[in-house]
């Protein structure tokens, strides 16, 4: 499962910035590291990010487990 790459895919699909995703949650540099799979993320933080993306955890897990959508 590639959490960071899936977040990147969803963010780009919705044409959102890293700054928007990180706003009120974490420094933008931390968010960038999460997308590059250089920093871990808590489940609670993942849920907050998915809320910003308008994605359910079920949708996210489906995408994250499908390597074709993350390349």
């Amino acid at each position: 499962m590639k959490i960071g790459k899936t977040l990147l895919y969803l963010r780009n699909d919705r044409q959102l910035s890293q700054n928007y995703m990180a706003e009120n949650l974490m420094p933008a540099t931390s968010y960038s590291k999460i997308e590059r799979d250089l920093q871990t993320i808590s489940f609670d933080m993942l849920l907050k990010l998915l809320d910003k993306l308008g994605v359910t955890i079920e949708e996210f897990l489906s995408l994250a487990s499908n390597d074709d959508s993350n390349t």
Side-chain angles (χ1 to χ4, degrees):
M1 177 181 304
K2 298 176 182 175
I3 292 173
K5 293 199 181 296
T6 305
L7 286 171
L8 173 64
Y9 169 81
L10 290 167
R11 181 179 63 78
N12 285 335
D13 184 61
R14 287 153 178 75
Q15 300 178 351
L16 301 172
S17 70
Q18 287 183 339
N19 286 335
Y20 170 80
M21 292 301 297
E23 188 176 333
N24 298 322
L25 297 176
M26 68 185 75
T29 55
S30 294
Y31 181 80
S32 175
K33 288 178 183 177
I34 291 168
E35 282 190 352
R36 292 180 286 144
D37 290 315
L38 299 176
Q39 182 169 315
T40 59
I41 182 173
S42 71
F43 185 72
D44 288 340
M45 184 58 68
L46 176 61
L47 291 176
K48 290 175 184 178
L49 293 172
L50 294 181
D51 186 53
K52 281 192 166 193
L53 291 165
V55 175
T56 66
I57 189 66
E58 293 85 4
E59 292 168 323
F60 179 81
L61 292 174
S62 176
L63 282 172
S65 65
N66 181 357
D67 290 339
D68 293 337
S69 68
N70 296 316
T71 56

